[in-house]
Amino acid sequence: QVQLVESGGGVVQPGRSLRLSCAASGFTFRTYGIHWVRQAPGKGLEWVAVILSDGINEYYTDSVKGRFAVSRDNSKNTAYLQMNSLRPEDTAVYYCARFGAGLDNWGQGALVTVSS
Amino acid sequence: DIQMTQSPSSLSASVGDTVTINCQASQSINTYVNWYQQKPGTVPKVLIYAAFNLQSGVPSRFSGSGSGTDFTLTISSLQPEDFATYYCQQSHSPPYTFGQGTKLEIK
């Protein structure tokens, strides 16, 4: 069955970096775009970024442009979200999700807390 | 960027009711809209993709309609398990924005 598993979350000080991983299984990873969506505590869903199946095209929401970077390693069936210059407002649960019929499969989420 | 304006932000209804949730895009997005349901403490789940296509395994009481800028999610004959928060999302062009969410509560 399709599975996405995030890892790498944790508590980090403002200005520091963190890298999330999204390990995929149960489908042909290289043929799907992988999206990152976050949800701050008690708030709604916010789309963050995507890396398309070609591994070349990537897009970001304005608030993370220049700070976050997505990548993927199709040989490892894994996508990454590199988060630099983290801010308190980046505190959220971060989900990776596969785009098939909409975002049809999601990981369980990784909590990132940015606090001094 | 395309803005998705969802209404209402909250909704109170009873089991057996029919409810509609609306989403308006700031520009035409054809039928590139998806609808998600999220229950507290759980991962979002896609209900409808590309405006009116029911995701596999989703009950037929959920339906989607619309094209261009105006979209609707309809839930017929509400069941207890339908009380949740619903989000629309545009997949026309990046950034692939979500609506603000509609919290459906039991009356």
Side-chain angles (χ1 to χ4, degrees):
Chain A
Q1 73 283 16
V2 174
Q3 197 169 12
L4 297 165
V5 179
E6 295 102 340
S7 59
V11 180
V12 61
Q13 293 180 327
R16 303 299 291 265
S17 299
L18 206 60
R19 188 178 81 159
L20 301 182
S21 299
C22 172
S25 59
F27 65 101
T28 307
F29 178 74
R30 67 179 183 275
T31 65
Y32 286 86
I34 299 296
H35 293 239
W36 292 88
V37 176
R38 67 184 179 184
Q39 187 166 36
K43 302 298 184 182
L45 301 174
E46 180 184 20
W47 184 86
V48 174
V50 61
I51 183 162
L52 299 185
S53 58
D54 60 17
I56 298 171
N57 288 291
E58 51 193 73
Y59 301 95
Y60 301 89
T61 193
D62 284 348
S63 62
V64 309
K65 277 181 188 173
R67 299 189 301 123
F68 289 14
V70 291
S71 61
R72 63 191 297 158
D73 184 340
N74 288 341
S75 69
K76 296 182 178 179
N77 288 349
T78 302
Y80 304 96
L81 180 65
Q82 177 69 43
M83 303 183 291
N84 301 324
S85 303
L86 282 161
R87 304 167 179 169
E89 56 264 36
D90 296 320
T91 294
V93 174
Y94 285 74
Y95 299 100
C96 62
R98 180 188 86 165
F99 191 89
L103 294 172
D104 58 7
N105 283 274
W106 297 60
Q108 83 286 357
L111 177 61
V112 173
T113 303
V114 184
S115 173
S116 54
Chain B
D1 295 359
I2 298 171
Q3 308 304 316
M4 300 296 285
T5 303
Q6 195 173 332
S7 62
S9 57
S10 65
L11 181 56
S12 182
S14 301
V15 172
D17 286 352
T18 294
V19 298
T20 59
I21 298 169
N22 301 296
C23 202
Q24 184 172 61
S26 59
Q27 65 188 72
S28 178
I29 56 172
N30 198 339
T31 57
Y32 291 97
V33 161
N34 312 297
W35 291 94
Y36 303 87
Q37 176 195 65
Q38 188 181 31
K39 298 179 183 179
T42 71
V43 174
K45 167 188 168 183
V46 64
L47 302 172
I48 302 287
Y49 63 96
F52 51 81
N53 295 280
L54 193 67
Q55 172 69 331
S56 176
V58 174
S60 59
R61 63 180 180 272
F62 291 91
S63 63
S65 63
S67 67
T69 60
D70 294 295
F71 302 89
T72 299
L73 173 70
T74 300
I75 313 172
S76 304
S77 188
L78 273 171
Q79 297 301 299
E81 60 268 29
D82 298 337
F83 292 93
T85 301
Y86 295 85
Y87 297 91
C88 61
Q89 183 212 16
Q90 64 86 10
S91 49
H92 178 273
S93 53
Y96 298 113
T97 41
F98 287 90
Q100 309 95 309
T102 295
K103 187 173 184 179
L104 177 55
E105 298 175 306
I106 300 174
K107 185 182 287 184

